[in-house]
DNA sequence: GACTCGTGGTC
DNA sequence: TGACCAAGAGT
């Protein structure tokens, strides 16, 4: 075994994480956790993972469930395409792989929502197959250890990192090694103020020897974030039901239910007047500011409270009335949760009525 | 290859 | 407090 892996594994035996909820010999649970953990911190994932596994303990349960219920359990976690892909992959596993996770990198990687790194993680953690992962933790460890300069978004830099990652991956204790290098990145080789005194690789680490920890990995070039502004029609009827509209499958909040949104206040008001008879109840709600990774969003909600609702236009698909006091499961966007919370409307039980 | 996708944490 | 990032992938 190479020196890098040997030192890392020795450290893992002493200091690694061994009791995370998904650290089991179960490819299904490992797959679910790897998807949830994409671009998402461990502490955020844990409660979502527990609820998800309790409701969908195996691939059969997940494949048989309606997509809306999967999205419901994903509400608030973000990157909702992950939930849609999870559902699609479950059905593909049933249809084409006897309900089992396949054991080759190409087969796993061809499944929806699973790229090279996630496929490698599933195979390494589930089956001890020696495939290298390359997530944010590994990139940070490797750029520092090997003194690799340049943004990791650069194709050549990334290729170099994949090569190093594969070179360091041992052929035995692969699952432990995979967990070890992630743990080192998360617990020791942190972005700021890394704990080099506690690092098993410190003496051979170029960044440590040359005091370049704060400069590696090279930060990605800056980008200015565009501003978006949306006017929101929050319409509730006398039974507190809220009018919701399902967003298209792709794009922001794909497949989720939100209050109808408009680019300008006038078309928002026109819509509200077309849906209610006593629009005098129209009032402004507090503005909701969202700061996403790639843009800033301003939501300006107008609330037509206790209005006498007209029926939803029959040929206008995608509208429903949200009944807070009846059980059902639909995916809600975070701003809708905030709005309903402000209106003191429960969100634990949801029903979608026919339009 | 640049852009998009969400939310919460950190400094 | 705003910039930056987190068990990345799809378009």
């Amino acid at each position: 075994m190479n020196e890098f892996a040997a030192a890392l594994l020795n450290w893992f035996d002493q200091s690694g994480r061994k009791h995370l909820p998904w650290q089991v010999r179960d490819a299904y649970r490992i797959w679910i956790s790897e998807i949830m953990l994409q671009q998402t911190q461990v502490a955020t994932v844990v409660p979502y993972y527990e609820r998800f596994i309790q409701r969908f303990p195996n691939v059969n349960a997940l494949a048989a469930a309606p997509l809306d219920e999967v999205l419901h359990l994903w509400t608030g976690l973000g990157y909702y395409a992950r939930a849609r892909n999870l559902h699609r992959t479950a059905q593909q596993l049933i249809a084409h792989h006897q309900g089992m996770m396949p054991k080759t990198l190409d087969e796993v990687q061809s499944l929806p929502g699973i790229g090279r790194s996630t496929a490698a993680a599933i195979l390494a953690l589930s089956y001890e197959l020696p495939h290298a992962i390359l997530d944010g933790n590994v990139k940070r460890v490797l750029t520092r250890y090997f003194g690799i300069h340049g943004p990791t978004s650069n194709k050549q830099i990334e290729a170099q990192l994949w090569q190093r990652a594969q070179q360091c991956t041992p052929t035995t204790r692969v699952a432990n090694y995979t967990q070890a290098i992630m743990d080192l990145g998360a617990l020791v080789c942190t972005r700021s103020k890394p704990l080099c005194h506690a690092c098993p690789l410190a003496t051979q680490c170029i960044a440590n020897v040359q005091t370049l920890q704060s400069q590696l990995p090279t930060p990605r070039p800056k980008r200015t974030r565009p501003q978006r502004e949306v006017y929101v029609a929050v319409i509730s009827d006398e039974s507190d039901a809220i009018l919701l509209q399902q967003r298209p499958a792709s794009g922001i909040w794909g497949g989720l239910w939100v209050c109808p949104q408009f680019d300008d206040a006038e078309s928002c008001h026109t819509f509200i007047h077309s849906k209610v008879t006593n629009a005098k109840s129209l009032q402004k709600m507090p503005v909701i500011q969202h700061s996403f990774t790639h843009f800033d969003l301003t939501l300006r909600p107008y609330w037509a409270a206790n209005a006498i609702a007209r029926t939803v236009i029959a040929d206008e698909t995608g509208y429903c009335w949200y009944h807070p006091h009846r059980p059902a499961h639909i995916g809600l966007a975070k701003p809708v949760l905030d709005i309903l919370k402000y209106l003191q409307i429960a969100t634990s039980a949801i029903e979608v009525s026919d339009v």
Side-chain angles (χ1 to χ4, degrees):
Chain A
M1 184 181 301
N2 67 75
E3 193 176 327
F4 183 97
L8 199 48
L9 280 164
N10 186 50
W11 172 84
F12 175 78
D13 290 335
Q14 302 293 322
S15 310
R17 292 178 290 191
K18 306 180 187 67
H19 301 289
L20 294 169
W22 43 84
Q23 288 181 319
V24 289
R25 293 287 169 181
D26 181 342
Y28 171 75
R29 297 190 178 207
I30 290 169
W31 162 50
I32 300 297
S33 73
E34 287 300 325
I35 300 302
M36 286 189 170
L37 287 161
Q38 288 171 357
Q39 298 295 99
T40 310
Q41 295 186 351
V42 169
T44 303
V45 164
V46 169
Y48 284 88
Y49 174 84
E50 302 280 12
R51 286 192 293 268
F52 198 93
I53 291 299
Q54 184 169 5
R55 173 59 187 88
F56 306 122
N58 52 56
V59 67
N60 296 300
L62 178 55
L67 176 59
D68 256 340
E69 190 170 356
V70 181
L71 288 171
H72 172 69
L73 286 179
W74 212 270
T75 289
L77 195 54
Y79 286 129
Y80 298 95
R82 295 184 297 177
R84 307 178 68 86
N85 288 330
L86 212 54
H87 193 237
R88 281 178 57 201
T89 289
Q91 296 178 337
Q92 289 188 19
L93 290 176
I94 297 294
H96 305 305
H97 299 280
Q98 297 78 48
M100 304 281 289
M101 184 64 67
K103 299 191 176 181
T104 71
L105 196 63
D106 285 344
E107 284 178 297
V108 177
Q109 197 175 340
S110 71
L111 294 165
I114 301 180
R116 180 174 175 181
S117 186
T118 300
I122 292 170
L123 291 177
L125 296 172
S126 303
Y127 303 136
E128 296 280 350
L129 295 174
H131 297 294
I133 65 167
L134 189 60
D135 64 3
N137 288 313
V138 178
K139 285 177 180 175
R140 193 164 53 252
V141 171
L142 294 181
T143 52
R144 284 174 174 166
Y145 184 84
F146 292 105
I148 298 172
H149 294 259
T152 57
S153 55
N154 178 287
K155 193 174 181 180
Q156 294 183 9
I157 300 292
E158 191 184 10
Q160 197 177 147
L161 287 169
W162 273 114
Q163 187 178 351
R164 290 296 195 183
Q166 193 61 55
Q167 168 195 341
C168 291
T169 302
T171 53
T172 61
R173 295 194 66 189
V174 180
N176 282 348
Y177 170 84
T178 302
Q179 187 64 50
I181 194 165
M182 287 189 287
D183 285 357
L184 191 77
L187 304 175
V188 174
C189 195
T190 51
R191 186 167 65 90
S192 61
K193 299 178 182 177
L195 309 176
C196 299
H197 59 87
C199 180
L201 308 174
T203 59
Q204 308 297 322
C205 175
I206 290 181
N208 181 46
V209 172
Q210 301 181 3
T211 321
L212 297 172
Q213 294 95 326
S214 64
Q215 299 177 42
L216 294 176
T218 304
R220 63 163 37 181
K222 289 183 185 177
R223 287 162 43 186
T224 59
R225 283 200 303 206
Q227 308 282 328
R228 300 185 194 177
E229 195 171 76
V230 165
Y231 294 83
V232 182
V234 185
I235 304 176
S236 65
D237 69 9
E238 59 280 357
S239 68
D240 286 338
I242 304 290
L243 185 66
L244 295 182
Q245 182 179 25
Q246 189 170 31
R247 292 188 59 85
S250 61
I252 185 80
W253 301 321
L256 297 190
W257 295 86
V258 299
C259 299
Q261 298 170 356
F262 303 87
D263 292 332
D264 60 276
E266 186 181 344
S267 53
C268 181
H269 290 177
T270 302
F271 178 84
I272 290 175
H273 284 278
S274 76
K275 297 296 178 212
V276 301
T277 54
N278 60 336
K280 291 176 183 174
S281 65
L282 185 66
Q283 55 185 277
K284 284 187 179 182
M285 280 180 57
V287 172
I288 299 175
Q289 297 284 356
H290 277 258
S291 205
F292 301 118
T293 306
H294 300 288
F295 63 93
D296 292 321
L297 180 65
T298 302
L299 290 147
R300 304 186 182 279
Y302 289 90
W303 180 25
N306 298 319
I308 300 171
R310 291 174 180 163
T311 55
V312 177
I313 299 171
D315 60 358
E316 203 169 1
T317 59
Y319 289 108
C320 75
W321 289 95
Y322 156 65
H323 297 275
H325 305 303
R326 300 183 199 164
H329 306 283
I330 65 172
L332 289 175
K334 178 68 162 52
V336 177
L337 286 181
D338 292 341
I339 289 170
L340 297 183
K341 185 177 179 182
Y342 175 82
L343 297 173
Q344 298 184 328
I345 293 174
T347 57
S348 57
I350 298 167
E351 175 168 332
V352 183
S353 67
D354 295 332
V355 291

